[in-house]
Amino acid sequence: MNALKRHQAIMELLIERREVTVAELSERLNVTGKTIREDLAKLEERGLLIRVHGGAMLARSDQLGILPESGPIRRHVAEKEEIAAAALALIEPGDTIVLDGGSTTLELAKRLPNEPLTVVTNDVFIIGALAYKPEIRLIVPGGSRVRNMLTGPEAARFVRGLNIRKAFLSSTGVHETYGFSVYTGELVDFKRALIETAMRRYMLADRHKFGVVALRTFAALADVDGIITDSGLDAETEARFAAAGARIMKASGETRAAGTAAEEPEQESEGDF
């Protein structure tokens, strides 16, 4: 197993457990403890984990690549609501859209009215949210399940054969140099397919993701038509990313739709987009 695959496997295990030991990584990946310690040092340099005695833990538990099997997380709820409301304003009756997997896109799915619309998604939670809206034509690309995502070569091929007007995407990290990134390599080709296929592409990212770099970059800032973020993004960060070529679409503080359900208590979870 090469270094990149080891790094991905280490991050996958950290997503599941939040903390791992050198011994269990060495046994699981069939390499020496010295190799694992070198891997952990490199991942720590990138800010992805913190080394502790005998192992490592996640640097920040809210910067994970995919959602847990138990259900969507409820973190930064107000920001996600703002972003979802701003994104909803871009959707027109009869549109064909993609909702990439993630907690913010799930928030957008919940807000979609039960009106004629075609929605392509690979997120099992979004599928569940839309299953009770019969006027929405739901298209699922298929593929193998990776927690809440359906992904794989067949899913990417399917998407590349569609005519999609608007794609609403998610990312773990948003960075001036490294662009949009996730921890999980299985998601990269599917996300690239969405970007290459859609006529308009929007990244949904709350302010906490700006300046973050995950393990695998899947797109540059210039690959999307806009980054929809919450009203709390500070002016200095907004200017810095705009200078790097990003089009920032900041939601107003009033964009949260009236009648939104009350905020649910935050759950213990191991993943977030």
Side-chain angles (χ1 to χ4, degrees), residues 76-247:
H76 308 311
V77 176
E79 292 91 335
K80 296 175 194 290
E81 289 179 343
E82 279 191 4
I83 294 166
L88 183 64
L90 298 173
I91 299 172
E92 301 170 292
D95 261 349
T96 297
I97 69 170
V98 166
L99 297 182
D100 191 13
S103 55
T104 309
T105 47
L106 175 59
E107 189 66 41
L108 174 55
K110 291 175 180 178
R111 290 167 178 263
L112 292 175
N114 184 27
E115 298 175 356
L117 187 72
T118 299
V119 178
V120 182
T121 186
N122 68 325
D123 187 314
V124 296
F125 298 140
I126 293 176
I127 293 167
L130 297 181
Y132 300 99
K133 299 179 180 182
E135 293 300 315
I136 294 178
R137 184 186 184 198
L138 186 58
I139 296 177
V140 179
S144 302
R145 182 172 177 176
V146 181
R147 292 193 181 86
N148 62 301
M149 308 288 193
L150 298 173
T151 189
E154 62 273 36
R157 283 195 300 269
F158 181 85
V159 164
R160 287 187 168 99
L162 301 178
N163 295 317
I164 298 166
R165 291 194 65 190
K166 297 161 188 170
F168 296 92
L169 304 155
S170 58
S171 178
T172 302
V174 181
H175 193 273
E176 305 102 303
T177 302
Y178 296 101
F180 304 109
S181 57
V182 291
Y183 286 124
T184 307
E186 290 96 327
L187 303 178
V188 170
D189 190 42
F190 185 81
K191 288 176 178 290
R192 286 299 314 167
L194 299 183
I195 290 170
E196 293 165 6
T197 305
M199 301 174 193
R200 305 290 291 179
R201 303 156 297 274
Y202 301 100
M203 186 64 64
L204 309 188
D206 64 66
R207 67 182 184 273
H208 305 284
K209 296 182 179 181
F210 283 71
V212 173
V213 182
L215 196 61
R216 299 289 295 271
T217 292
F218 64 88
L221 295 179
D223 288 336
V224 302
D225 297 286
I227 304 174
I228 305 175
T229 191
D230 61 272
S231 59
L233 183 71
D234 64 89
E236 188 276 330
T237 300
E238 183 178 0
R240 191 172 75 248
F241 275 80
R247 182 192 175 202

Side-chain angles (χ1 to χ4, degrees), residues 18 68 70-71 73 75 265-271:
R18 298 195 179 191
S70 58
I73 58 88
R75 210 178 266 117
E266 187 169 306
Q267 303 172 2
E268 280 296 317
S269 64
E270 300 173 354

Side-chain angles (χ1 to χ4, degrees), residues 59-78:
R60 288 176 56 183
S61 61
D62 62 345
Q63 294 177 5
L64 307 177
I66 47 183
L67 299 174
E69 293 178 352
S70 58
I73 58 88
R74 300 296 296 173
R75 210 178 266 117
H76 308 311
V77 176

Side-chain angles (χ1 to χ4, degrees), residues 24-41:
E24 66 181 323
L25 289 173
S26 177
E27 181 178 357
R28 179 180 288 248
L29 302 180
N30 195 29
V31 294
T32 65
K34 178 177 181 295
T35 297
I36 292 297
R37 284 187 286 272
E38 291 172 350
D39 289 337
L40 296 180

